[in-house]
Amino acid sequence: MSAAPDRMTKAAQPSRYDIAGFKAEIVGIPVIDEAQVVRKRSRDFFWYSPILNAELANKSADIIVSPRDEAEIVRVAAACARRRIPLTVRAAGTGNYGQAVPLEGGVLLDITALTAIEWQKPGAIRVQAGARLLDIDMATRPSGYELRMHPSTKRSATVGGFVAVGSVTYGGLREPGNILAARVVTVEEEPRILELRDDAAQKVNRAYGTTGIITALEMPLAPAWPWIDVIVAFDDYMDAFQAGYEVALADGIVKKLVTPVSWPIPSYFGALKQHCPQGKCILICMIAEASLGPFKAIIGSRGQVTYEAPSEEGPGTVPLYEYTWNHTTLQWLKSDRSITYLQCLFPHDRLVESAREMIARFPGEVLAHHEFIRFGGRVTASALPILRYTTPERLNEIIALHEEAGVMIANPHVVSLEAGSRHKRADADQLGFKHEVDPHGLMNPGKMASFSPNPR
Amino acid sequence: MSAAPDRMTKAAQPSRYDIAGFKAEIVGIPVIDEAQVVRKRSRDFFWYSPILNAELANKSADIIVSPRDEAEIVRVAAACARRRIPLTVRAAGTGNYGQAVPLEGGVLLDITALTAIEWQKPGAIRVQAGARLLDIDMATRPSGYELRMHPSTKRSATVGGFVAVGSVTYGGLREPGNILAARVVTVEEEPRILELRDDAAQKVNRAYGTTGIITALEMPLAPAWPWIDVIVAFDDYMDAFQAGYEVALADGIVKKLVTPVSWPIPSYFGALKQHCPQGKCILICMIAEASLGPFKAIIGSRGQVTYEAPSEEGPGTVPLYEYTWNHTTLQWLKSDRSITYLQCLFPHDRLVESAREMIARFPGEVLAHHEFIRFGGRVTASALPILRYTTPERLNEIIALHEEAGVMIANPHVVSLEAGSRHKRADADQLGFKHEVDPHGLMNPGKMASFSPNPR
């Protein structure tokens, strides 16, 4: 496979790496080296950020490899280690931080062919890393179960690429019990296969694919309730927020999504606009059918139910959750590329006050929508507000003002894992673990910026 | 039916009420008027409290009526209303506050014959009020569901008599969504049948049976996980408490019971003693099988697992939960009647500190065991500590000291609903509702002490 000559300019530049030798070593495993395709597949949704867009636009791997099983992954890992070729793992590429964008070129390891479900039992499933989240739910629902949480990209994202979004019932993916086990191939001359359970399995989480190649995951399941999608319209955003907070706190109400959205965001909601009255703020919820009565009792006369129907996520429908989390940003970006977003975690002990403060502080500039979640056992809100972008300086100022007010920011406008984390550093565990599984530092070098290989 | 002459002394005293006329009116409905039996069935577990024991020991109904369906209940209610005979509803009588003890004699309405399951569907069930909680679980488990919460008296208690204990996952029975509907017969000359849903259904909750005769309840269900009973031993009580708190906060871990118990309480634990090492404090938990690994990861090396087995609650076994909540008190009372207990709700925002304070304040006098629960959306602890009883004055002093320290007390040593509630009053809703359903104030007069009938 090769690209047309007129498109070869960039790809024709000699790679820094021994790609030819690599290809010879992994013969029999499907590869793509057509420059256009490789460049396209080296991207994710980093373009939501004008800053990342400038920084990552020209990053590309040299070659895509698509192994079909773990044995082929082991061969690829060994070949990269021997030739010191960077390796970046890529699944559906639905991330927003350039997680899967190769910063130093090299091999893009496409895991989307590994989709098998190894087993399922009541409450748990073991799947290969490339299985799509929606397919997992389709496979588990006949026995009454589903994944505990999923990103708004559920219909395309894979379980291996799934970076936690948190949930209103089970807390974040990082919390104990939300990943049961992970199987990892190390990037060494003689790759090892590690089976990690419980605490140890958390080492692979949110490391942006820099700590070994995940080939399988064992995930806990939740009961699959018959979910009802509901939209409630409110005159005032804080009323929608308060009602959502009460629903989130009501442990007797089984729910999956509680998302207040301020006007004018719903005016960008395409097919959903007919259920979003002009000028109104809305509360988007997924509520178990059996809890719908008590849910409405909480809402009372404060808001008006404008939509109520069983959740659907089959082909040809846009599920309600594709208007929440960072899909909200996407809905707006479809018609207006001038905005970007932030990623916030509000303090649980002064949630309403801090939400109100941030709204008052940036009128017309930072537009609120929140996601109620449980975090460390407490009900609080995450948020990915729409931000009318002007300059990098102003963006950074807004971030700083949030942090001063006690609203934690996971900066989605930076390349490295450390700069993007709430704590501005890689976990000690993650750094130590990386020495074990990627001693040469070949997994997307630059992504875990504070890592440097031990001298050998 | 009549008692032996030598036992007739008390029953032979003429009743204040027209019991003969009442009997004639309800002919065909089973009654018991043998004084010994009536006195025995007029009691509950109020004797846990030395104060209530003195106060209630001689209270008795005049007659027991055991209707077999709602139509018979309507006849009993009408007969009581016409003759102004007090009526006290009684099911299994597992309460500890004399809820079902007739303060003014009259009719004891036994609802234990109404046990039918009207229907069940995924996530909800509708049952008659006399159905036993264990029987409900047995009926729902084949379809993968169970009640969301139950008292430690589950094996004998009925759904109608169930006064909320709260749960670590779904919050209290009083929280929205935890009772879906209730059917109530009013105590009037022409009884009405009210069908109450959602908010309205909460009016019947924790009113000690003074707001209408509940004949059926619609309850939400929870997925029935395979539960594992676990005991972990710790050197120090606050270590057990802290570990339990972390488990309670871990939303990714599916659990049903998290109960730290201080030494020497486990030395009174009968069959369970073999799993309770001498001098150690223990943590009693019910954990879903799929969450057992992460549960143990949280415990880590702080405690030692001394027992681990699938939950059993069939005949001939003593389920683990019968060592928790107020069953803890019962275990001790089996061999030592000198103790009693308190009923506490700790503040969620200084939980560890306030638990530590109370333990330090009453060494050897108030012996700690806590129940982690979610209350209003926050993880906190309820507690029914063992109290070495000396005098009523000291008991009241201890209660006052708890309240001063921000630990709310639902006083289990008082007769009236108001004195026993955390807020020292009947709910405005409950009072108003009582006028509707019991206009003559016949339902266990004195129990809702602040109620007086409207003049007619």
Side-chain angles (χ1 to χ4, degrees):
Chain A
M1 298 184 208
S2 61
D6 60 330
R7 295 185 173 178
M8 288 282 287
T9 330
K10 281 196 175 161
Q13 287 173 356
S15 170
R16 286 175 281 171
Y17 314 109
D18 177 15
I19 299 298
F22 170 80
K23 278 172 78 170
E25 191 166 341
I26 61 152
V27 73
I29 303 177
V31 299
I32 301 173
D33 54 9
E34 193 183 358
Q36 278 300 107
V37 178
V38 175
R39 272 210 301 279
K40 185 156 176 268
R41 297 277 291 276
S42 296
R43 297 167 61 83
D44 62 15
F45 286 83
F46 62 77
W47 54 270
Y48 280 28
S49 163
I51 296 174
L52 288 186
N53 199 28
E55 202 160 344
L56 299 179
N58 291 316
K59 303 291 184 191
S60 178
D62 296 292
I63 188 170
I64 298 171
V65 192
S66 302
R68 291 153 299 191
D69 56 30
E70 191 180 70
E72 291 188 347
I73 287 179
V74 168
R75 285 178 59 201
V76 172
C80 284
R82 285 182 204 127
R83 289 183 164 71
R84 302 291 197 265
I85 304 176
L87 177 157
T88 300
V89 183
R90 148 113 190 182
T94 61
N96 294 121
Y97 324 130
Q99 292 100 314
V101 177
L103 300 176
E104 301 285 342
V107 170
L108 195 65
L109 178 72
D110 170 11
I111 60 152
T112 56
L114 280 83
T115 60
I117 290 172
E118 297 185 6
W119 53 252
Q120 54 172 308
K121 60 182 179 185
I125 189 168
R126 188 175 171 104
V127 287
Q128 290 187 333
R132 286 192 318 153
L133 297 170
L134 183 59
D135 293 335
I136 295 173
D137 271 5
M138 293 298 155
T140 55
R141 284 209 178 123
S143 49
Y145 290 92
E146 63 186 19
L147 288 168
R148 288 181 171 183
M149 64 194 84
H150 61 80
S152 63
T153 53
K154 174 182 179 181
R155 294 198 298 171
S156 49
T158 65
V159 64
F162 173 25
V163 172
V165 292
S167 96
V168 71
T169 301
Y170 295 97
L173 190 57
R174 190 168 250 183
E175 297 189 29
N178 283 334
I179 301 178
L180 297 176
R183 189 173 167 96
V184 167
V185 172
T186 65
V187 180
E188 300 176 283
E189 288 82 347
E190 304 290 337
R192 290 164 300 142
I193 295 169
L194 309 180
E195 184 76 27
L196 309 167
R197 292 207 77 82
D198 301 325
D199 265 11
Q202 285 292 343
K203 291 178 189 170
V204 303
N205 183 17
R206 288 198 190 181
Y208 295 175
T210 63
T211 54
I213 303 164
I214 304 171
T215 59
L217 283 161
E218 212 173 298
M219 302 293 283
L221 299 172
W225 294 96
W227 296 111
I228 309 294
D229 291 343
V230 188
I231 299 176
V232 189
F234 293 80
D235 290 336
D236 178 70
Y237 185 69
M238 287 313 293
D239 288 346
F241 186 93
Q242 179 64 37
Y245 188 29
E246 290 167 27
V247 172
L249 285 171
D251 290 317
I253 292 181
V254 178
K255 62 254 173 188
K256 199 169 180 176
L257 189 71
V258 184
T259 309
V261 182
S262 70
W263 186 261
I265 297 172
S267 69
Y268 291 86
F269 274 5
L272 206 67
K273 266 166 69 176
Q274 54 180 312
H275 308 293
C276 304
Q278 178 74 19
K280 301 273 184 185
C281 298
I282 58 171
L283 181 66
I284 295 177
C285 294
M286 289 173 71
I287 305 289
E289 194 176 26
S291 293
L292 204 56
F295 166 78
K296 289 180 182 172
I298 287 189
I299 300 297
S301 58
R302 287 181 286 186
Q304 180 204 353
V305 174
T306 60
Y307 180 77
E308 177 184 329
S311 289
E312 279 199 42
E313 52 189 357
T317 63
V318 179
L320 191 61
Y321 59 74
E322 288 191 6
Y323 296 91
T324 65
W325 290 88
N326 219 8
H327 254 86
T328 314
T329 312
L330 180 60
Q331 298 294 348
W332 190 307
L333 285 169
K334 282 176 183 168
S335 60
D336 173 10
R337 289 284 184 111
S338 73
I339 57 103
T340 185
Y341 71 108
L342 295 177
Q343 195 160 323
C344 315
L345 179 66
F346 283 75
H348 71 86
D349 50 355
R350 43 187 301 279
L351 178 56
V352 176
E353 303 87 312
S354 61
R356 188 179 285 119
E357 275 168 35
M358 290 304 98
I359 289 166
R361 193 141 193 179
F362 310 104
E365 187 175 17
V366 178
L367 308 177
H369 60 110
H370 290 83
E371 306 291 340
F372 286 100
I373 56 167
R374 292 185 74 99
F375 186 84
R378 277 100 182 178
V379 171
T380 187
S382 172
L384 297 97
I386 303 281
L387 187 143
R388 296 197 203 264
Y389 182 71
T390 49
T391 65
E393 292 71 28
R394 177 59 181 162
L395 175 60
N396 286 327
E397 186 180 33
I398 291 171
I399 289 174
L401 288 169
H402 274 78
E403 288 174 337
E404 277 168 30
V407 178
M408 288 196 281
I409 299 284
N411 191 343
H413 305 284
V414 290
V415 170
S416 78
L417 181 144
E418 291 85 348
S421 84
R422 282 180 292 112
H423 306 294
K424 312 294 179 233
R425 57 179 171 75
D427 211 278
D429 256 20
Q430 282 182 344
L431 271 173
F433 185 58
K434 186 165 170 76
H435 280 289
E436 262 182 69
V437 295
D438 181 23
H440 307 302
L442 294 172
M443 299 194 75
N444 205 357
K447 201 35 114 173
M448 191 186 281
S450 53
F451 176 82
S452 51
N454 290 329
R456 298 219 166 184
Chain B
M1 298 184 209
S2 62
D6 60 326
R7 292 183 176 178
M8 287 280 289
T9 329
K10 280 192 177 167
Q13 289 174 355
S15 171
R16 286 176 281 172
Y17 313 110
D18 176 14
I19 300 297
F22 170 80
K23 277 172 77 170
E25 190 165 345
I26 60 154
V27 73
I29 304 176
V31 299
I32 301 174
D33 54 8
E34 194 182 357
Q36 280 300 107
V37 177
V38 175
R39 272 210 300 280
K40 186 158 175 267
R41 296 276 291 276
S42 294
R43 298 167 60 84
D44 63 13
F45 286 82
F46 62 78
W47 54 271
Y48 280 27
S49 162
I51 295 174
L52 289 186
N53 199 30
E55 202 159 346
L56 298 178
N58 291 316
K59 303 290 182 192
S60 177
D62 295 292
I63 188 170
I64 299 171
V65 190
S66 302
R68 289 153 300 190
D69 56 31
E70 193 181 67
E72 291 189 346
I73 288 179
V74 168
R75 285 178 60 200
V76 172
C80 284
R82 285 182 205 132
R83 291 183 164 69
R84 302 293 195 266
I85 303 176
L87 179 157
T88 300
V89 183
R90 148 111 192 185
T94 61
N96 294 121
Y97 324 131
Q99 292 101 315
V101 176
L103 299 176
E104 301 285 342
V107 170
L108 194 66
L109 179 72
D110 171 11
I111 59 153
T112 55
L114 280 83
T115 59
I117 291 172
E118 296 186 6
W119 52 252
Q120 54 173 309
K121 60 183 181 185
I125 189 168
R126 187 174 171 104
V127 286
Q128 291 186 333
R132 286 193 316 153
L133 298 170
L134 182 59
D135 292 335
I136 296 174
D137 272 6
M138 293 299 154
T140 55
R141 285 212 177 119
S143 50
Y145 290 91
E146 64 186 18
L147 288 167
R148 288 180 171 184
M149 64 194 85
H150 62 80
S152 63
T153 53
K154 173 180 179 183
R155 293 198 298 170
S156 47
T158 66
V159 65
F162 174 24
V163 172
V165 293
S167 97
V168 69
T169 301
Y170 295 96
L173 189 57
R174 191 169 247 181
E175 297 189 29
N178 283 334
I179 301 178
L180 298 176
R183 187 173 170 95
V184 168
V185 173
T186 65
V187 181
E188 298 176 286
E189 287 82 348
E190 302 290 336
R192 290 165 298 141
I193 295 169
L194 309 179
E195 184 76 27
L196 309 168
R197 293 208 77 81
D198 302 326
D199 265 11
Q202 285 293 341
K203 291 179 190 170
V204 302
N205 185 17
R206 287 198 189 180
Y208 294 174
T210 63
T211 54
I213 303 165
I214 304 171
T215 58
L217 284 161
E218 213 173 297
M219 302 292 286
L221 298 172
W225 294 95
W227 297 111
I228 308 294
D229 291 343
V230 189
I231 298 175
V232 190
F234 294 80
D235 290 336
D236 178 70
Y237 185 70
M238 288 311 294
D239 288 346
F241 186 94
Q242 179 64 38
Y245 189 28
E246 290 168 28
V247 171
L249 285 170
D251 290 316
I253 292 182
V254 178
K255 63 254 171 187
K256 197 169 182 177
L257 188 71
V258 184
T259 309
V261 181
S262 69
W263 186 261
I265 297 172
S267 69
Y268 291 85
F269 275 5
L272 206 67
K273 265 166 72 175
Q274 53 180 311
H275 309 293
C276 304
Q278 178 74 22
K280 301 274 184 182
C281 298
I282 59 170
L283 181 66
I284 295 177
C285 294
M286 288 173 72
I287 305 289
E289 194 175 27
S291 292
L292 205 57
F295 165 79
K296 290 181 182 172
I298 287 187
I299 301 296
S301 58
R302 288 181 285 184
Q304 179 205 353
V305 175
T306 60
Y307 180 77
E308 177 184 329
S311 288
E312 278 199 44
E313 50 190 356
T317 63
V318 180
L320 191 60
Y321 57 73
E322 289 191 5
Y323 297 91
T324 66
W325 291 87
N326 220 9
H327 255 87
T328 314
T329 311
L330 180 59
Q331 298 294 348
W332 190 307
L333 285 170
K334 281 177 184 168
S335 59
D336 172 10
R337 289 281 183 112
S338 73
I339 57 104
T340 185
Y341 71 108
L342 295 177
Q343 193 160 324
C344 315
L345 180 66
F346 283 74
H348 71 86
D349 50 357
R350 42 188 302 278
L351 179 57
V352 176
E353 302 86 313
S354 61
R356 189 180 285 117
E357 275 167 34
M358 289 304 98
I359 289 166
R361 194 141 193 181
F362 309 103
E365 187 176 16
V366 179
L367 308 178
H369 61 109
H370 290 83
E371 306 292 339
F372 286 101
I373 55 167
R374 297 244 288 246
F375 186 84
R378 277 98 180 181
V379 171
T380 187
S382 172
L384 297 98
I386 303 281
L387 186 143
R388 295 196 204 263
Y389 182 69
T390 49
T391 65
E393 292 71 30
R394 178 58 181 163
L395 174 60
N396 287 327
E397 185 180 34
I398 291 171
I399 289 174
L401 289 167
H402 275 79
E403 288 174 338
E404 276 169 31
V407 178
M408 288 195 282
I409 298 284
N411 191 344
H413 305 285
V414 289
V415 169
S416 78
L417 182 143
E418 291 86 346
S421 84
R422 282 180 292 110
H423 306 294
K424 311 292 180 240
R425 56 177 173 76
D427 212 278
D429 257 19
Q430 283 182 343
L431 270 173
F433 185 57
K434 187 168 171 72
H435 280 290
E436 261 182 70
V437 295
D438 181 23
H440 307 301
L442 293 172
M443 298 194 76
N444 204 357
K447 199 38 114 174
M448 191 186 278
S450 53
F451 176 81
S452 50
N454 290 330
R456 296 221 167 179

